[in-house]
Amino acid sequence: MWFGVISIMTEMIATASRTGVFGRAIEQGILSLELFDPRSHTTDRHQTVDDRPYGGGPGMVMMTEPLLATMAEARTRAAAQGIEAPVIYLSPQGARLDQKMVKEFAEMPGLTLLCGRYEGIDERVVERVDRMVSVGDYVLSGGELPALVVMDAIARHLPGTLGNSASAVEESHLDGLLDYPHYTRPETAGARQVPEVLTSGDHAAIRRWRLKQALRSTWLARPDLLTARVLEPLERELLSELFAEGLAAEVD
Ligand code: 4GX
């Protein structure tokens, strides 16, 4: 998959892209990343990309011309590789990113992520983007961290990446639930024992225990995820057990 990122702080993206799942995916050729800096599409000595808002008020607005020229450059670069990469503008006004959207994006040949700084970008550029995406209801100082969030989440879904093999692809019965608790050695840490079922070797019992724990933590932390879900008969049964137990954590 091809990612183009438009940013006046390309170093932020470059640095992060050298590490983790993302860095490895680039090394393996599963992902390619091209950075585009609007400052290279300016003509003045100071490489100005922002200006004061019409109508007054605090802060600065990113100018139309450098951004549109950069979007055209990114489109040309993608097209040269036979790729169409719609432009996503990261903004608190966008549709909230969720796992469903991440999977949808992961099916596409490319994406161009437009990162704004200052108070925002000129509305005439907003009119030219294909989608607006938000990573959550809080205000950051730029779109670079949200762009990295979007790309990281997508990278995990591309065939051949570390995230894609087994552990991270929640195509299983645990899809849409919060995670169950994890344990590793030693079996006794202080007075705290690893739950017996996990060392029993009974894989069916382990699967059942994990699903029950996932349902428990989901009910306690994010009940909205359960009400949005069509529950399997086994899930109903495990939830009934949990309610009967007063949702208590296992006592062993
Ligand atoms: N999820 N930001 C965009 C510039 C801006 C300012 C005002 C529109 C209006 C964010 C988020 C986010 C910070 C990216 C402000 N754009 N992006 N930037 N939350 O906070 O995606």
Side-chain angles (χ1 to χ4, degrees), residues 152-171:
D152 187 282
I154 293 172
R156 296 162 55 80
H157 283 277
L158 301 178
T161 60
L162 210 60
N164 183 261
S165 60
S167 77
V169 180
E170 305 103 287
E171 301 291 11

Side-chain angles (χ1 to χ4, degrees), residues 131-214:
R131 293 178 77 155
M132 287 208 272
V133 170
S134 167
V135 298
D137 292 337
Y138 38 80
V139 183
L140 299 165
S141 45
E144 286 77 9
L145 290 172
L148 288 166
V149 166
V150 171
M151 292 190 291
D152 187 282
I154 293 172
R156 296 162 55 80
H157 283 277
L158 301 178
T161 60
L162 210 60
N164 183 261
S165 60
S167 77
V169 180
E170 305 103 287
E171 301 291 11
S172 69
H173 54 295
L174 295 169
D175 203 356
L177 296 178
L178 299 183
D179 209 359
Y180 52 78
H182 300 265
Y183 295 88
T184 186
R185 295 189 294 176
E187 217 175 298
T188 308
R192 302 287 298 126
Q193 287 277 119
V194 172
E196 216 175 281
V197 62
L198 297 181
T199 53
S200 69
D202 182 343
H203 298 292
I206 292 169
R207 259 200 308 281
R208 190 179 197 278
W209 181 87
R210 285 180 167 163
L211 176 57
K212 187 170 172 180
Q213 297 304 313

Side-chain angles (χ1 to χ4, degrees), residues 3-166:
F3 284 132
V5 180
I6 299 173
S7 162
I8 58 169
M9 298 189 120
T10 52
E11 204 44 51
M12 246 180 113
I13 307 291
T15 301
S17 72
R18 283 191 281 269
T19 61
V21 171
F22 200 74
R24 188 174 283 104
I26 291 173
E27 273 169 32
Q28 293 174 328
I30 295 163
L31 263 182
S32 62
L33 173 68
E34 289 188 54
L35 305 176
F36 303 94
D37 188 343
R39 290 202 196 279
S40 65
H41 292 275
T42 55
T43 47
D44 66 314
R45 196 160 59 90
H46 300 289
Q47 301 193 299
T48 310
V49 292
D50 62 319
D51 205 342
R52 295 180 343 228
Y54 275 118
M60 299 293 273
V61 177
M62 290 185 88
M63 296 157 66
T64 305
E65 270 311 313
L67 285 180
L68 290 183
T70 314
M71 281 161 66
E73 187 200 358
R75 189 183 304 116
T76 305
R77 284 292 309 163
Q81 294 154 77
I83 292 163
E84 204 189 326
V87 177
I88 293 178
Y89 175 45
L90 288 315
S91 161
Q93 277 109 314
R96 176 76 67 84
L97 184 73
D98 62 13
Q99 198 62 6
K100 181 168 160 271
M101 203 188 287
V102 168
K103 286 181 186 174
E104 180 197 323
F105 288 153
E107 300 292 317
M108 304 173 64
L111 276 185
T112 305
L113 299 151
L114 172 58
C115 309
R117 286 259 146 194
Y118 311 111
E119 297 316 301
I121 67 181
D122 191 295
E123 193 61 23
R124 291 163 291 188
V125 178
V126 179
E127 287 164 6
R128 294 251 183 278
V129 308
D130 297 294
R131 293 178 77 155
M132 287 208 272
V133 170
S134 167
V135 298
D137 292 337
Y138 38 80
V139 183
L140 299 165
S141 45
E144 286 77 9
L145 290 172
L148 288 166
V149 166
V150 171
M151 292 190 291
D152 187 282
I154 293 172
R156 296 162 55 80
H157 283 277
L158 301 178
T161 60
L162 210 60
N164 183 261
S165 60

